[in-house]
Structure formats: structure tokens, C-alpha cells
Amino acid sequence: MSKIIENYENKLNLAKATLKAASIAVRTSNTGVEWEEFNAASDALLICERHLSAAKNEEYADIIDFPVAWDVGAPLPHLFMNDYKGYLIFYVKSVDPNWDGTYTTVIDTASDKITSLALVEFEHCTSAKLGSPNDEVFEGHPLYGKGLELYAPMQIMNSNWIKEIQNINSVHRNYNPENWKDMKHFFFGFHDTTFECIADSFKVEVHQTSFRNLLNIVSEKLVN
């Protein structure tokens, strides 16, 4: 074992111990600072997981810059794609200033209500999937413990999925590994589903419109 890996493993063990202590403090105390310390310990653990996985050249998840946050309770992601375009729609996180905890807002995609919706276009999208797992079984995901973070936009580094797809395509007589150097594996953990895709990049638009109208916009983008 290299000294670098050993050092990262020691830091990871320390981060786990710190998080465990912070978890106990959250359950047993109420001075107002416990959650802040717990969140800081959680962030530190994720960083340690990523550093260790990177040192081992293993697959891991890393946070990426993303201009919007999705609704945690009911983002209702929808995926649309053809041979070379991929689009993802979801409800943007919003705060109801009148919410007092006594009622629940039901989101209806068939409604004509104007709301904040994100439209993410994945450029040169070669593969995409939307489905299981949901957030209740997130700890069972193979990348859990390797920097994977729920409700966050992520990129999977050293992606096994990219390697698998690239290996399949390598049998083609015109295969060129240079064509794959810009491919990235994106991962979004929603409430009821997980979205993943392989694409070069993405761009995000936020629309103030109804879900039905945004579907029409996506349909036009797919055929034009």
C-alpha cells in the first residue's frame, strides 16, 4: 500500500469517527450548533471518500457546478431523447413563504399552472437512463461511500459505464479512442428516481411556464 493511499485511509477513518460523534450530538443535544457540525462532518467525509477513490484510480462521484437546485420532494424528472439529443425536465426547488407545515402542495404535470421548470440539454448524449434506485435505498448503490451525494448534481469519475460502452464500440473498424475523450458520466439523485447519462456536456435553461408547454418546447427541439 502506498503512503498516499494509507494517508487517505487514515483521514477517511478519522472523518467517519467525527461524523459518528456529530450524529450522536444531533440526537442528544440541542444547542443550535449540532446540525452545523454534522453537515460539516458529512462534507468532510465525502471529500475523503473522493480523494481515496481517486488515489486508487477507482470509480467515484464528484460534485459539479450546476445553476439550479431541483425540488427535493417532487422534482418529477422526465427524460426525452433521440439518437444524439437528450433532454431532462424537472421542477426547480422553490420556497413557499406561506408554508406553516400544516399542508402539502400537490404537483400536477397536467395542470396549466405557471411554475419554475429546468430544461437540461445534454450534448452528444450517447446513453441515458432514468429509474431505480430511489432515495430510500440510496445506501445500496455501488457508489455509496465513494463520494455519492443525494439530491446533488454529480459527475462519475473513472466511470465503469463509459468504459463498458467504449469497450463495446472498440470492435468497430473505425473506432477511435479520441472520440471518447470528452465523454462524461452525469448522475442526478432525485426523490423517486435516479438519472444518469453519458454526454459531452450540458446546458441549462429555466422556464417559467406550464409543464405541458415545456413538453411542446422539447418536442420541437427533438425534431428540429
Side-chain angles (χ1 to χ4, degrees):
M1 182 188 303
S2 72
K3 286 292 184 180
I4 294 177
I5 293 177
E6 183 179 2
N7 182 46
Y8 282 135
E9 287 183 337
N10 290 336
K11 289 183 177 180
L12 178 63
N13 290 331
L14 178 59
K16 288 180 178 179
T18 303
L19 180 59
K20 183 177 179 180
S23 300
I24 295 173
V26 166
R27 295 195 302 269
T28 59
S29 304
N30 189 24
T31 65
V33 299
E34 290 82 15
W35 276 109
E36 182 178 335
E37 293 174 351
F38 175 84
N39 291 332
S42 296
D43 291 341
L45 177 61
L46 290 169
I47 292 172
C48 288
E49 290 174 353
R50 292 162 189 160
H51 285 167
L52 178 59
S53 296
K56 291 181 175 181
N57 199 32
E58 294 178 345
E59 188 179 38
Y60 68 97
D62 203 0
I63 198 80
I64 57 174
D65 289 332
F66 202 73
V68 297
W70 50 81
D71 186 277
V72 174
L76 301 180
H78 282 56
L79 172 63
F80 306 87
M81 65 182 300
N82 57 21
D83 287 347
Y84 57 95
K85 292 181 181 179
Y87 294 93
L88 183 70
I89 296 175
F90 55 81
Y91 283 90
V92 173
K93 182 179 180 180
S94 61
V95 177
D96 183 354
N98 300 315
W99 190 72
D100 59 4
T102 62
Y103 63 91
T104 300
T105 301
V106 177
I107 298 177
D108 182 8
T109 56
S111 170
D112 290 326
K113 180 181 178 181
I114 304 301
T115 187
S116 294
L117 291 160
L119 173 59
V120 187
E121 177 181 352
F122 292 92
E123 300 172 327
H124 300 103
C125 182
T126 63
S127 297
K129 52 187 176 181
L130 176 68
S132 184
N134 62 24
D135 59 355
E136 294 182 359
V137 295
F138 207 62
E139 292 184 14
H141 195 283
L143 284 171
Y144 187 81
K146 293 181 177 294
L148 197 62
E149 192 171 342
L150 188 56
Y151 311 133
M154 314 212 75
Q155 181 179 336
I156 308 304
M157 315 304 291
N158 301 325
S159 168
N160 290 333
W161 190 20
I162 291 180
K163 292 174 185 176
E164 176 188 348
I165 299 297
Q166 187 174 6
N167 186 57
I168 291 171
N169 281 271
S170 67
V171 303
H172 196 283
R173 63 179 179 276
N174 294 325
Y175 169 75
N176 184 355
E178 284 296 305
N179 295 335
W180 290 82
K181 63 185 177 76
D182 294 326
M183 287 293 178
K184 300 176 181 64
H185 179 178
F186 297 108
F187 183 107
F188 297 171
F190 295 106
H191 175 56
D192 291 320
T193 54
T194 295
F195 167 78
E196 297 183 65
C197 81
I198 296 174
D200 283 358
S201 58
F202 61 82
K203 55 185 179 182
V204 183
E205 300 173 357
V206 177
H207 293 255
Q208 301 298 323
T209 186
S210 68
F211 200 93
R212 188 191 304 274
N213 187 57
L214 189 53
L215 292 183
N216 292 332
I217 294 173
V218 172
S219 295
E220 287 296 320
K221 288 179 176 290
L222 283 170
V223 299
N224 292 329

